[in-house]
Amino acid sequence: MTIMQKVLLLLFFLLFISFNGNAQLSDDKVENQNIREFIQIWGLVKYRSQKSIAGEFDADQVFLDLIETVKHADKQQFNRLMIELTSNKGPEPMVSKQVYPKSKLIDGPYLLNNVDFHWIKDKRYTSLLKEQLEDLTNQINTSGKHQYVPELFYQGKLPNEEAYANYTFDKEAMNLLALAKTWNAIEYLFPYKYVMDKDWEKVLTAMIPDFRKIRDRAGYEKGVLMLAAAIDDTHAGSFMAADNMQMVNTIFDVRYYPPFDYKAQANGLVIKKFLNDSLAAVSSLKKGDIIVAIDGIKIKQWLKDRSSLLPASNDAVKYRELSTTNNFRGDVLAFSDLREKVLNVKVNRQGTKLDRKLVMLDRKDQPSVKIIESHIKQEVAKAKAFKGMEALGNDITLIRAGHVFDKDLPDDEDMARLSAELKSKKALIFDMRKYPQSPGFFTYYIPMLLGKAPFPFARYYTADLRQIGIFKYKEELETYMYVSKDGTKPIGELYMGQIVILVNENTQSMGEWYTMMLRQFSQNTTVIGSQTAGADGDVRRLTLPGNYEFCFTGQGIFYPDGRETQRTGIIPDLYFEPTAEDLSGTTDAQLQRAIQYIQEGE
């Protein structure tokens, strides 16, 4: 064979490979487009069709039966399949072209910000399919029930979602079902889709190839975690709970553990205290140091790289999740994905920049594991020692929401005495920096004891069963506070002393809800702290294949004047964030700031 023949043969081979590669890319593109459109249409049928509402549509089985055919369908075949899927086979639908006033303002009876069915006008769809899709968007559910949405607005678990507890995570169809269930739950049942950073339809397009590649538990958990992170909702972080997600250490690669507790902040990692005195003695770092760079990477970028998979409404929560502050699970995600045990760090020590070596503990080393576990047990014991209610001198009572339990609630005969005692104080401090443990304490006992009649302190929107995807304002007073059915009234006159509320990134959901309530108790209320978790409203729980729970905020919560709470959180009246010196000290600096404010008025 001549040189020219060899060159021509090589060119032919390269062209053949290129042609087949492009054909494969083209096939994948068409398949992924079919999958995306099928997921959207399937979700519309699941949440809006009369047959699904009435329990005559097994959404999971239909998806699994159709997905392979849909994937390989041409345009004509796809339209035929979708026309069959969207045809009415349930009770006669009630249809209206205009049911709700089209208003974007949070001051009316309906929250419509998420309603957008532009995709049903896809040019690939036939006129008949478009017509049937439009009919689905306008159908009204008059039954008051829905197969896939709880009848009672406050019930969190979404009904009739199969767990597939023995699933092995290696089937493309089942993995795509998990994506379809999650995507559509957010599309129709998440009131804050409209404030997400990412376009939810583009997220679906991007995630389809990733879910098609999943072959094991770690890949599956990472895929679902990517969806959780995309919705910008702190409640979605519940997916990472120890009893739900099993592959945290694998996905984040957290082999090494620092010899100290730390708090992540925008300006660096603050070393709070060492795990024991021996580790402190051998380290070149000191309590109070602020780590501002690791291995030559500025800390802001370092933390950004390690927070991309963390579900959070705002950066304050991402820093919380990267910290060991109040972390009793042993997560040190700010030090994930390390290749070496020894790090080169730059620290800020009281204004002086220093280069130091940070020697990490290896979790494959048993003595190191014992040190870590012993320290965490000590921290848990300290947290349990706090009292729910404590007098700070004669003039102030501190009430720690995270340490008042139902067993601590007063008996009926003790109510008058406790009411008089609280009202005798110059000021009450409510510490909302830990999740409240007794809802009844705030919905009933505190208003009763302080002489406050029930009042609506928020605008609460819940899924409207008439047309899923729209949220309806609940005016009933018992939605907001406990309304006595026996005519029991608040005790005495309204408490007129000072009320100070402590908040930070740990103030979340119910903590934010009760902070909103306490803040409107009287004109003599002040919130001191930093940005809260920005996730208020009851949690929805979607069961996914593998017996996982995907969580998200299920109700829309706004201030009475329409101001947002989601992502924004509670904006304090007096901003306070502890310094490095505060964090490495032994006193609660934020509590001391509150006492100073009460005593000095500034």
Side-chain angles (χ1 to χ4, degrees), residues 59-120:
D60 287 13
Q61 195 57 56
V62 169
F63 187 95
L64 295 172
D65 287 346
L66 286 180
I67 185 62
E68 283 301 317
T69 305
V70 164
K71 220 167 52 172
H72 302 294
D74 61 26
K75 178 180 174 181
Q76 189 176 22
Q77 292 167 335
F78 182 87
N79 274 273
R80 282 203 302 266
L81 287 168
M82 295 303 101
I83 288 170
E84 175 66 17
L85 177 63
T86 57
S87 61
N88 288 313
K89 295 181 178 178
E92 187 66 25
M94 176 179 175
V95 177
S96 173
K97 293 291 184 182
Q98 180 64 46
V99 182
Y100 299 99
K102 293 292 183 181
S103 171
K104 293 287 184 180
L105 299 177
I106 313 301
D107 59 2
Y110 300 104
L111 177 61
L112 303 166
N113 299 42
N114 288 339
V115 180
D116 183 2
F117 291 109
H118 71 278
W119 57 269
I120 69 174

Side-chain angles (χ1 to χ4, degrees), residues 217-489:
R217 184 186 292 273
Y220 182 84
E221 288 191 359
K222 184 176 181 179
V224 177
L225 190 59
M226 290 170 70
L227 290 171
I231 69 173
D232 301 315
D233 181 27
T234 300
H235 276 141
S238 296
F239 182 75
M240 295 178 64
D243 59 349
N244 193 56
M245 187 175 174
Q246 300 179 28
M247 309 298 290
V248 171
N249 287 345
T250 300
I251 293 171
F252 287 93
D253 190 7
V254 284
R255 172 176 172 176
Y256 298 107
Y257 198 103
F260 46 73
D261 270 346
Y262 65 91
K263 182 175 183 182
Q265 295 182 327
N267 64 335
L269 303 179
V270 180
I271 299 176
K272 296 179 61 182
K273 62 180 176 182
F274 283 81
L275 305 188
N276 60 37
D277 292 339
S278 298
L279 292 173
V282 299
S283 178
S284 62
L285 299 170
K286 291 185 178 182
K287 185 172 65 170
D289 283 351
I290 306 174
I291 299 174
V292 296
I294 300 176
D295 285 345
I297 302 173
K298 291 183 178 180
I299 202 66
K300 186 175 182 179
Q301 184 62 49
W302 179 274
L303 296 178
K304 182 178 179 181
D305 293 342
R306 282 153 182 79
S307 66
S308 61
L309 287 178
L310 297 180
S313 298
N314 51 50
D315 285 343
V317 175
K318 288 190 176 183
Y319 290 137
R320 180 189 83 186
E321 294 303 303
L322 291 167
S323 303
T324 57
T325 309
N326 299 324
N327 167 26
F328 303 139
R329 298 177 305 187
D331 294 341
V332 285
L333 300 181
F335 291 97
S336 63
D337 196 28
L338 300 182
R339 304 276 72 86
E340 302 290 342
K341 179 179 179 179
V342 180
L343 304 175
N344 296 309
V345 299
K346 184 180 291 292
V347 301
N348 181 345
R349 181 176 296 169
Q350 296 180 338
T352 302
K353 298 290 180 65
L354 304 169
D355 293 317
R356 291 290 184 264
K357 296 286 186 182
L358 169 56
V359 181
M360 304 287 285
L361 301 176
D362 191 340
R363 292 206 221 202
K364 292 187 177 181
D365 174 55
Q366 197 56 37
S368 294
V369 171
K370 288 183 178 180
I371 291 172
I372 297 166
E373 290 178 345
S374 174
H375 174 72
I376 291 174
K377 286 179 181 178
Q378 291 176 23
E379 293 302 302
V380 170
K382 288 180 183 177
K384 287 182 177 179
F386 285 115
K387 297 178 180 178
M389 197 175 299
E390 180 180 352
L392 305 179
N394 295 324
D395 294 333
I396 303 172
T397 290
L398 170 64
I399 299 170
R400 296 185 177 94
H403 296 273
V404 175
F405 300 90
D406 287 345
K407 65 180 179 60
D408 303 319
L409 300 180
D411 297 328
D412 288 343
E413 57 269 21
D414 199 37
M415 291 280 282
R417 181 200 61 80
L418 184 55
S419 175
E421 180 182 327
L422 292 176
K423 288 180 180 178
S424 71
K425 302 295 182 178
K426 174 183 178 181
L428 302 175
I429 300 176
F430 289 90
D431 188 351
M432 307 302 288
R433 294 173 297 175
K434 186 176 180 182
Y435 195 79
Q437 298 300 306
S438 175
F441 183 64
F442 288 97
T443 57
Y444 176 72
Y445 285 95
I446 283 297
M448 181 73 69
L449 294 167
L450 299 183
K452 184 72 172 180
F455 68 102
F457 53 86
R459 296 189 67 84
Y460 185 108
Y461 290 81
T462 190
D464 188 353
L465 291 180
R466 284 168 56 86
Q467 285 194 320
I468 298 299
I470 291 170
F471 293 80
K472 185 176 182 179
Y473 172 52
K474 290 193 69 63
E475 299 183 63
E476 301 86 352
L477 189 56
E478 55 266 27
T479 301
Y480 304 90
M481 297 180 76
Y482 178 79
V483 179
S484 175
K485 299 297 187 292
D486 61 3
T488 304
K489 296 181 179 180

